[in-house]
Amino acid sequence: MATLLQLVLTTIQIGAVYILFALGLTLIFGVLKIVNFAHGQFFTLSALVVAVVIPWLIGLGYSLFIAYIVSLVLGVVSATLLGAVIYQLGFKRFQRDMMGSFILSAGLVLLFEGIYLDVFGGAVRSVPALIDGAVSFLGVRLSAQRLLICIIAVVLTAVLTWVLAKTKFGNALRAVSIDHEAAMLQGIPYKTIAFRGFLFATLIGAIAGALVAPVSSVSPTFGDSFLVKGFIAVIVGGLGSVPGAIIGSLLIASIEAFGGFYFDPSSSTLAIFVLVMLVLLVRPKGLLGHG
């Protein structure tokens, strides 16, 4: 029983970050109908800023808590501003153009990985834990740092889901994702909503990067594995479906947690790709995909 609970909690810990990442991907696809491989670069930039700024501020005499808060804000703001620039200079011209956006985003991945490598160096960076120790729960011991990140990620996911379901901005995003021409006829400014939706998705990815940095090894290619898992999650759940992104992320996380425990990481990775093939054979649009 304790083992099962441990694996469920591990699934939630992993899945919470995957959900934040996948939500950004599915929002961009839903609003702009583009595939954005560069989404992982915003995630990476935020994590890199956190990994660089925290040791610098601690060296200046600031506490770890203050250093983490400041670095998190700087990382999220930097990544979001980069997203705004990239949208205005690139993706704005490739809205609803799958092929053009694919080529552009693939090129941006190579460009920014080279820039990050030049600016931050190729060394793997670690971020000190904000909270040391472990927490016992029903006979299961959890890392306090991972538990904190999990709680924050779950709360953020709940807030984001509420924003998309209950606010005027969320309703506009959902209307545009269903039929942008009909939404425009109803007075919704598509260009404005598209820009804000892209920034909102970038913000979500940047927050995920800053949150996961303290429990990961950060490098210029940090976001690549998350990008792959994020795309798998939205494909399984259904491109453009917010509930689908959540379900897909939890499925991927559960396979990693249970498969890694009972078998090995390579077997769990293979199982993830088998899951994708089975879902696409039965439901080509994904579990909750439209159409």
Side-chain angles (χ1 to χ4, degrees), residues 207-224:
I207 292 174
L211 284 178
V212 80
V215 294
S216 304
S217 298
V218 182
S219 71
T221 59
F222 178 56
D224 292 351

Side-chain angles (χ1 to χ4, degrees), residues 2-248:
T3 300
L4 177 62
L5 180 59
Q6 177 74 67
L7 292 174
V8 170
L9 291 175
T10 301
T11 296
I12 295 173
Q13 290 176 30
I14 299 172
V17 177
Y18 285 171
I19 287 171
L20 290 177
F21 195 96
L23 280 176
L25 288 173
T26 203
L27 281 176
I28 291 174
F29 179 83
V31 175
L32 301 177
K33 291 296 184 287
I34 63 174
V35 176
N36 181 21
F37 284 105
H39 189 67
Q41 304 310 306
F42 309 133
F43 176 91
T44 301
L45 177 59
S46 181
L48 283 170
V49 170
V50 168
V52 169
V53 173
I54 284 181
W56 178 64
L57 289 177
I58 291 176
L60 293 178
Y62 291 94
S63 67
L64 177 59
F65 178 77
I66 296 297
Y68 186 76
I69 295 299
V70 172
S71 64
L72 186 147
V73 172
L74 288 176
V76 170
V77 170
S78 298
T80 305
L81 288 176
L82 177 62
V85 172
I86 293 303
Y87 177 86
Q88 293 295 344
L89 296 180
F91 287 113
K92 184 179 180 179
R93 295 166 172 78
F94 292 96
Q95 295 180 27
R96 319 190 87 76
D97 181 352
M98 291 284 286
M99 183 59 69
S101 64
F102 171 81
I103 295 172
L104 173 63
S105 62
L108 288 172
V109 170
L110 298 176
L111 173 65
F112 283 114
E113 282 189 358
I115 292 175
Y116 295 162
L117 184 63
D118 186 58
V119 173
F120 296 100
V124 175
R125 301 173 184 270
S126 60
V127 178
L130 186 60
I131 302 177
D132 294 320
V135 177
S136 295
F137 176 71
L138 296 179
V140 176
R141 288 180 62 81
L142 302 171
S143 163
Q145 176 69 38
R146 289 185 177 275
L147 181 60
L148 175 63
I149 291 173
C150 178
I151 292 172
I152 294 173
V154 169
V155 171
L156 283 174
T157 300
V159 170
L160 292 172
T161 303
W162 176 82
V163 168
L164 293 172
K166 301 296 183 181
T167 66
K168 183 178 180 181
F169 173 62
N171 289 333
L173 283 177
R174 288 189 291 114
V176 167
S177 68
I178 295 172
D179 190 331
H180 76 289
E181 292 181 346
M184 290 170 67
L185 290 175
Q186 295 298 318
I188 296 176
Y190 172 70
K191 292 182 178 180
T192 300
I193 291 299
F195 177 59
R196 291 178 180 175
F198 189 90
L199 284 189
F200 188 54
T202 301
L203 175 67
I204 296 171
I207 292 174
L211 284 178
V212 80
V215 294
S216 304
S217 298
V218 182
S219 71
T221 59
F222 178 56
D224 292 351
S225 62
F226 284 91
L227 180 67
V228 173
K229 300 291 176 57
F231 265 115
I232 290 175
V234 297
I235 289 171
V236 170
L239 284 169
S241 170
V242 171
I246 296 174
I247 292 173

